[in-house]
Amino acid sequence: MKKILLPLMLLGMLCLSSCVDIEERYDFKANGACNVIYGFDMSKAVSVLMNLMTDSVRETPQFGMVKDTTLNFYSALPDSISQKMNAEEMKMAQGSELAVKMDLKNNIMKVSIKHEAKNAADLRYYLQHLSSISMNSQLNNVTNNDKVKAFDTQPLITGQSYYNYEITDHKFYRVIDKDKFNAFLKKAGSKFAMAKAMLIDMPYKVILNFARPVKKVDNSKAVLSADRRQVVLITSMDEVMKNPALMNLKIDF
């Protein structure tokens, strides 16, 4: 784990003040389960970083590593953190996977967190508590830990905490809480503002796949597929900061 994520220490701050392509994907199953993936593609940020590196640094073993691996999220945590989790948090972490695809010389750096929710209640719990577990686990501060070398996607994951969710077997509703969103911006807004000042955008895509046709979508920016089984919302963090309601979704299926 240490070798896999070591270069991410060098990328952490750059990735949040530079370009990150963000993608949320929900795959709803006929039995009520749902696979959720939060993906962060930092490849463009790596390209910027590599251009700033000297030839001698680019030729070091750290920058020559190529990895494509998936780890259990819970097993990646040190005992000092996992022992502080309650039973529900532990169960959620154990049901999640951390995937890392890295080839720095070819400007590839992708990180994703995947979770399989067993039912609507499990999905709602996961979405409401993912950010709190990340904060409680201090994943943004574990760079000194022997097991985990941090990559700072924490503010992006923390963003999930500003939604209010209503999820059943036939609907997926999420609405931004303006007070929570404003509090989020106070913490992370400076990094997004820096990216904007550098004329760098942060694309944000939400993809929801359903096992049955969607009856109704309440978001004018969302696109419903011809077979009514997929909803896609494409925006950017800059647009979201200007109009948080863009991320509101009310889907009946």
Side-chain angles (χ1 to χ4, degrees):
M1 185 68 181
K2 180 177 180 179
K3 293 181 179 180
I4 292 172
L5 298 181
L6 183 59
L8 295 177
M9 289 189 297
L10 304 176
L11 293 174
M13 289 306 297
L14 177 66
C15 290
L16 281 178
S17 61
S18 189
C19 187
V20 181
D21 287 15
I22 310 165
E23 181 175 298
E24 293 181 50
R25 179 179 290 270
Y26 300 80
D27 293 320
F28 291 87
K29 310 300 181 181
N31 63 0
C34 180
N35 288 333
V36 187
I37 301 176
Y38 288 108
F40 307 95
D41 187 346
M42 296 167 275
S43 300
K44 294 178 183 177
V46 173
S47 178
V48 174
L49 176 66
M50 295 302 284
N51 288 333
L52 297 175
M53 295 294 102
T54 63
D55 290 340
S56 59
V57 174
R58 284 198 294 266
E59 294 304 316
T60 60
Q62 290 181 358
F63 282 88
M65 281 194 292
V66 176
K67 294 292 180 181
D68 189 353
T69 188
T70 300
L71 306 166
N72 181 269
F73 189 82
Y74 181 79
S75 67
L77 297 175
D79 293 340
S80 60
I81 293 175
S82 61
Q83 290 174 356
K84 296 178 181 179
M85 290 181 169
N86 61 40
E88 289 298 322
E89 291 173 338
M90 188 180 301
K91 180 180 177 181
M92 188 174 77
Q94 289 171 339
S96 302
E97 293 181 341
L98 171 67
V100 178
K101 186 173 183 178
M102 176 178 64
D103 184 348
L104 299 183
K105 286 189 175 181
N106 289 305
N107 300 328
I108 298 174
M109 184 67 247
K110 299 180 180 180
V111 177
S112 65
I113 299 175
K114 178 180 179 181
H115 179 78
E116 180 181 359
K118 303 301 182 183
N119 49 49
D122 188 13
L123 176 60
R124 186 171 183 267
Y125 183 90
Y126 175 74
L127 296 176
Q128 289 182 324
H129 292 82
L130 173 62
S131 60
S132 64
I133 284 185
S134 298
M135 287 184 287
N136 291 340
S137 301
Q138 298 179 5
L139 291 180
N140 57 326
N141 291 321
V142 294
T143 52
N144 293 322
N145 187 273
D146 290 335
K147 293 185 179 181
V148 181
K149 293 299 179 184
F151 47 91
D152 199 358
T153 54
Q154 174 65 20
L156 302 176
I157 295 175
T158 300
Q160 301 307 312
S161 66
Y162 53 62
Y163 291 111
N164 292 320
Y165 290 95
E166 184 179 355
I167 302 173
T168 71
D169 291 335
H170 299 284
K171 65 182 179 183
F172 178 88
Y173 289 6
R174 74 175 191 186
V175 178
I176 283 183
D177 183 307
K178 293 183 179 179
D179 291 336
K180 292 179 180 179
F181 183 75
N182 289 334
F184 163 74
L185 286 183
K186 287 182 179 180
K187 293 181 179 180
S190 60
K191 293 184 174 67
F192 297 132
M194 187 183 301
K196 183 178 179 180
M198 295 170 65
L199 302 179
I200 298 174
D201 198 8
M202 298 182 69
Y204 202 137
K205 179 185 291 186
V206 184
I207 302 172
L208 303 101
N209 296 311
F210 297 89
R212 62 175 69 93
V214 170
K215 298 177 181 178
K216 181 181 179 182
V217 181
D218 186 3
N219 183 309
S220 60
K221 196 174 179 65
V223 177
L224 180 62
S225 64
D227 64 1
R228 304 186 70 84
R229 291 175 181 265
Q230 184 183 74
V231 176
V232 178
L233 174 61
I234 299 176
T235 182
S236 69
M237 283 306 301
D238 185 42
E239 289 184 328
V240 172
M241 286 188 288
K242 293 177 181 176
N243 182 14
L246 287 175
M247 295 300 287
N248 292 344
L249 279 171
K250 291 186 177 181
I251 303 174
D252 294 290
F253 56 95

